[in-house]
Amino acid sequence: MESLYLPQHDAFVRWHRVGNGGPVVVWLPGIGFPAVGNFLATATQNVLPQIQSILIDPLGAGSSDASKMQGLGISDQADVIAAVLDHLCHKSCFVLGYSMGGAIAAELTQRRPDLVSRLILAEGNLLTGGGAGTRSMVAVAAEEFRRESLPNMLAGLRTGALNGDKVDDFILSSWGHMDPDVLYEMAAALIALRPELEQEILNLTLPRWYIFGETNLTDPDTRNASNLPDPERLRAAGFAIRVLKGVGHDLMLSDPQGFAALIAPALTP
């Protein structure tokens, strides 16, 4: 594990590197997730081309410290990722963001186009207002979330984990070790995405991919589907659209091998 101290946040951001040779691929995880837990099973699949993976924990998640700044936004998290890449002297990276990591990847691409040569969004947030999950988190005050809502969520995840649900177990292990206030702030940041972000990403000309979970396309009433961009709108703007069969928003958490096979062409130089 490597780290970089950020004085403006009085915090260390931390990351892991996997692999040697080939293009640099930056992996940005979902809300509150450690990047290694989110992506390692995908990033090490033999079906992928030779790549150098950098798996970065956003501030407040995984091994990275929480920022001392209040109200840390998605743009702030994007600047943190930029600081890591500048520190490592990497330019023109392939950047893959999942869920909240997709929003960070999108902001990074807008703010520092020199750092991103390909953008892969795995059900990444581009729309303001948040998905049903994040909306439910911030539907109550922070104190109620800390005292009641989060413990209830964790209890439900624990039941799923005890019944053998690996995705529930991973989310439990991620959120159960977080500062509840930081998780709440992350959800609030996703709801407060800049309204212009989607159009800005649609206007880009660099190679872009968007990965959907099949059930979020076939069933528009599923929990996450209402916050996903319109696939036809993405396609018209030049995105390559790919669909991972048999899953919803869980994507690589449920099927890392299938996800790796789907994104392999996007990571091929």
Side-chain angles (χ1 to χ4, degrees):
M1 183 172 66
E2 301 174 53
S3 67
L4 174 67
Y5 178 69
L6 303 170
Q8 67 272 37
H9 297 282
D10 189 19
F12 283 93
V13 58
R14 297 184 174 93
W15 64 91
H16 292 79
R17 288 203 265 191
V18 178
N20 294 296
V24 172
V25 180
V26 179
W27 304 75
L28 303 178
I31 182 170
F33 296 165
V36 165
N38 201 153
F39 294 122
L40 187 62
T42 293
T44 55
Q45 292 287 332
N46 290 334
V47 70
L48 294 182
Q50 186 177 30
I51 56 176
Q52 303 175 62
S53 290
I54 304 176
L55 300 95
I56 307 177
D57 292 341
L59 289 185
S63 298
S64 290
D65 296 344
S67 173
K68 299 302 187 288
M69 290 172 52
Q70 294 294 315
L72 196 68
I74 297 300
S75 296
D76 300 310
Q77 293 279 16
D79 289 343
V80 169
I81 305 305
V84 171
L85 297 179
D86 285 341
H87 172 73
L88 297 174
C89 298
H90 287 314
K91 301 282 188 182
S92 300
C93 303
F94 298 176
V95 178
L96 187 150
Y98 167 57
S99 196
M100 187 185 91
I104 297 172
E107 281 286 9
L108 175 68
T109 305
Q110 278 298 113
R111 298 169 77 82
R112 291 291 305 276
D114 59 310
L115 299 179
V116 184
S117 62
R118 296 187 188 184
L119 178 64
I120 303 105
L121 301 177
E123 296 219 340
N125 294 87
L126 292 178
L127 305 176
T128 191
T134 48
R135 288 197 301 269
S136 69
M137 289 182 184
V138 300
V140 299
E143 172 59 31
E144 184 177 344
F145 177 77
R146 184 188 314 111
R147 185 185 68 252
E148 184 174 340
S149 298
L150 181 59
N152 288 340
M153 291 167 58
L154 295 177
L157 291 166
R158 180 174 175 79
T159 297
L162 288 169
N163 289 327
D165 190 312
K166 294 182 179 180
V167 174
D168 281 357
D169 185 47
F170 171 65
I171 299 174
L172 174 67
S173 71
S174 302
W175 292 356
H177 293 90
M178 282 188 71
D179 181 331
D181 291 336
V182 172
L183 181 58
Y184 186 86
E185 283 194 359
M186 285 181 174
L190 277 176
I191 286 176
L193 280 183
R194 294 187 301 107
E196 307 85 4
L197 182 60
E198 183 197 34
Q199 188 59 56
E200 290 171 352
I201 298 305
L202 293 176
N203 290 343
L204 295 175
T205 58
L206 80 167
R208 294 155 297 161
W209 285 260
Y210 199 99
I211 316 300
F212 287 94
E214 181 183 31
T215 61
N216 280 344
L217 288 180
T218 57
D219 181 2
D221 295 323
T222 54
R223 183 174 66 84
N224 294 88
S226 61
N227 187 237
L228 298 180
D230 179 357
E232 293 308 316
R233 182 171 163 83
L234 294 172
R235 187 176 285 110
F239 270 82
I241 305 299
R242 300 293 182 267
V243 179
L244 185 58
K245 295 183 178 179
V247 302
H249 191 62
D250 40 330
L251 292 172
M252 76 296 294
L253 301 177
S254 286
D255 186 5
Q257 192 170 24
F259 184 78
L262 202 64
I263 64 171
L267 303 183
T268 301

